Amino acid sequence: MPTLSYHRPSSIAEVARLARDDPDAKLLAGGQSIIPSLKLGLLAPSALIDLGGLPELRGVRLEGRSLRIGAMTSHAEVANSPEVRKHVPALAHLAAGIGDRQVRNRGTIGGSLANSDPAADYPAAVLGLGAEIRTDRRAIPADSFFKGLFETALDPDEILTAVEFPLPERAAYVKFPQPASRFALVGVFVSLTGKSVRVAVTGAGPCAFRVAALEQALAKRFAPESLHDITMPADTLNADLHGSAEYRAHLIPVLTRRAVTQALA
Amino acid sequence: MSLQIRLHVNGNAVTADVSPDTLLVTFLREHQHLTGTHVGCDTASCGACTVLVDGIAVKSCNVLLAQVQGCQITTIEGITPADGSLHPMQAAFKACHGLQCGFCTPGMIMSAIDLVTHHEHASEAEIRAGLQGNLCRCTGYHNIVRAVMQAAPIMRGTQS
């Protein structure tokens, strides 16, 4: 690992100052993606700015009709949170399926979203629930947050502080895990709130995306049968040794049907 | 740049001056000479390096020492009672022959202790799922799961 500097600030203002003063520094959340990347030489920041000393970035709070989850809340904390389990059980289920127990104890929701790994689980929930990303300077709607492979709308020195999830009437997340890593080969998050249906897919493209054709069909009638005639084009999807683009395209409506069935259960 | 770190390892207060890129596992093995914590894959996949940080299982090859400033670290060396007898999880692994080559065993035991501590009544399926972060390349999973099931009631004090 390259030698670097390390900071552990105790206020958001200090994080912001350090990030502004050193454009080559990286924010460190749980470290479950950044530390392996440092070891592999995929990243060589000048410094790490550890957010671990900021307790105000941790925790889950119900605020009216939305659930606010602090950026430094671990996957295990989300999975076990009574508020999440009660109000958005699909989100607790998603968090309980990330990586393995040790990774869930360290990895954080903010770290996962800022990283925007194409096969990460959380982006599907953020997009599938129409959440809002809160930062030290603004609120970013989920629909304009994910920009591409490991690319988000965050400015280089911007600090993701929390995510606000509106409470859905029905929601479910179903993933087809890559068996070794349990990253999503394809994962689909569906939600129904009033007449609004959202279908968000992870694992299949450069970043998480919504599928208008599936949403429109489900908006007419929220039932698995509504999707029987729909096929997905494979031309823009990911292909790797675990699955071809055609295989991923096939999985999207299959997993969406399963998610709708679960959401209705 | 050197950082001064204070933490507790197996109950003992420790102070160290380290480079910021020092991994928790490197510190435990090379500075503290606690070589019971193993490095298997060094990519946060195999779980052989599992230790407890404030009672919660983490992969110590994927955590910087600086991140656990002020924390209580427990390694496999720190779980045995003062009289030198075995921890109930160790005793169960021995009784059930929950190991073959033994390389994954310290990580399995630390992970299993965390699992049973936080999930006292885990079913067999939940134990299997709970140990997904620990790989045994001898593939002796059946006896490992049996050992965890045997240790759980002893750890929660309902069976001696």
Side-chain angles (χ1 to χ4, degrees):
Chain A
M1 213 191 288
T3 305
L4 39 70
S5 311
Y6 172 89
H7 308 283
R8 192 182 172 91
S10 51
S11 73
I12 301 270
E14 201 184 338
V15 177
R17 184 184 58 75
L18 287 163
R20 201 175 46 240
D21 291 352
D22 184 355
D24 293 327
K26 278 271 182 194
L27 300 185
L28 172 64
Q32 299 304 283
S33 295
I34 204 172
I35 294 173
S37 302
L38 292 170
K39 286 198 212 172
L40 291 168
L42 297 173
L43 278 179
S46 54
L48 291 175
I49 305 170
D50 188 351
L51 302 176
L54 299 163
E56 65 267 37
L57 294 185
R58 279 177 79 166
V60 177
R61 239 186 10 243
L62 186 66
E63 289 183 347
R65 293 293 300 159
S66 70
L67 210 53
R68 182 190 173 92
I69 303 183
M72 286 294 285
T73 311
S74 73
H75 310 325
E77 286 164 342
V78 173
N80 295 323
S81 156
E83 286 89 358
V84 180
R85 290 166 77 128
K86 180 173 175 202
H87 296 288
V88 197
L91 186 60
H93 165 77
L94 174 148
I98 298 172
D100 54 54
R101 247 176 55 261
Q102 293 98 313
V103 167
R104 291 193 290 275
N105 283 338
R106 293 291 306 175
T108 66
I109 186 168
S112 169
L113 293 172
N115 190 41
S116 187
D117 188 298
D121 296 296
Y122 270 129
V126 165
L127 211 48
L129 288 166
E132 211 169 62
I133 308 289
R134 295 298 172 102
T135 76
D136 59 330
R137 61 197 70 164
R138 58 180 168 154
I140 308 171
D143 287 330
S144 50
F145 184 76
F146 301 103
K147 296 291 187 193
L149 190 69
F150 296 107
E151 198 188 331
T152 69
L154 291 170
D155 291 330
D157 64 343
E158 192 166 7
I159 306 156
L160 198 165
T161 54
V163 190
E164 288 210 12
F165 293 95
L167 305 186
E169 279 159 41
R170 295 181 180 278
Y173 177 64
V174 174
K175 79 166 155 175
F176 193 99
Q178 200 275 87
S181 70
R182 284 176 287 281
F183 268 103
L185 194 65
V186 175
V188 177
F189 198 105
V190 300
S191 75
L192 172 68
T193 310
K195 288 188 165 36
S196 160
V197 174
R198 297 177 76 101
V199 177
V201 177
T202 190
C207 61
F209 60 90
R210 290 170 66 188
V211 185
L214 296 170
E215 291 180 353
Q216 284 154 14
L218 288 168
K220 286 184 194 134
R221 184 167 165 252
F222 193 78
E225 302 79 54
S226 305
L227 305 173
H228 275 318
D229 302 329
I230 298 179
T231 53
M232 282 288 297
D235 43 359
T236 59
L237 299 187
N238 297 342
D240 56 28
L241 77 167
H242 305 298
S244 64
E246 291 73 20
Y247 187 60
R248 284 182 162 87
H250 175 74
L251 280 178
I252 292 170
V254 170
L255 297 181
T256 307
R257 277 197 289 277
R258 290 183 191 173
V260 171
T261 305
Q262 271 193 25
L264 289 167
Chain B
M1 183 178 179
S2 153
L3 289 177
Q4 192 178 70
I5 308 288
R6 292 167 192 276
L7 72 169
H8 283 78
V9 179
N10 298 329
N12 303 315
V14 175
T15 307
D17 282 299
V18 298
S19 159
D21 51 21
T22 306
L23 295 166
L24 175 56
V25 71
T26 309
F27 173 74
L28 292 172
R29 288 180 55 85
E30 294 176 19
H31 300 229
Q32 297 293 302
H33 308 294
L34 295 169
T35 53
T37 302
H38 291 168
V39 179
C41 66
D42 200 19
T43 57
S45 302
C46 80
C49 66
T50 300
V51 301
L52 306 184
V53 174
D54 292 337
I56 292 172
V58 306
K59 293 180 172 174
S60 62
C61 81
N62 210 23
V63 175
L64 296 173
L65 182 64
Q67 291 178 284
V68 297
Q69 171 85 269
C71 294
Q72 301 276 346
I73 312 298
T74 310
T75 71
I76 188 75
E77 290 90 347
I79 62 168
T80 46
D83 65 5
S85 61
L86 295 178
H87 182 282
M89 190 62 75
Q90 291 175 303
F93 268 69
K94 184 181 175 195
C96 298
H97 197 59
L99 65 156
Q100 290 176 47
C101 84
F103 190 86
C104 73
T105 312
M108 282 285 181
I109 287 180
M110 299 313 287
S111 189
I113 289 174
D114 165 275
L115 174 63
V116 171
T117 304
H118 294 102
H119 202 350
E120 284 190 345
H121 297 274
S123 65
E124 180 181 334
E126 288 165 337
I127 290 169
R128 286 182 187 276
L131 292 176
Q132 275 177 339
N134 294 79
L135 303 180
C136 165
R137 300 319 308 262
C138 305
T139 70
Y141 293 103
H142 287 311
N143 286 354
I144 290 169
V145 173
R146 273 185 208 120
V148 179
M149 294 187 74
Q150 180 172 312
I154 300 169
M155 277 181 63
R156 62 175 190 257
T158 54
Q159 187 185 313
S160 57

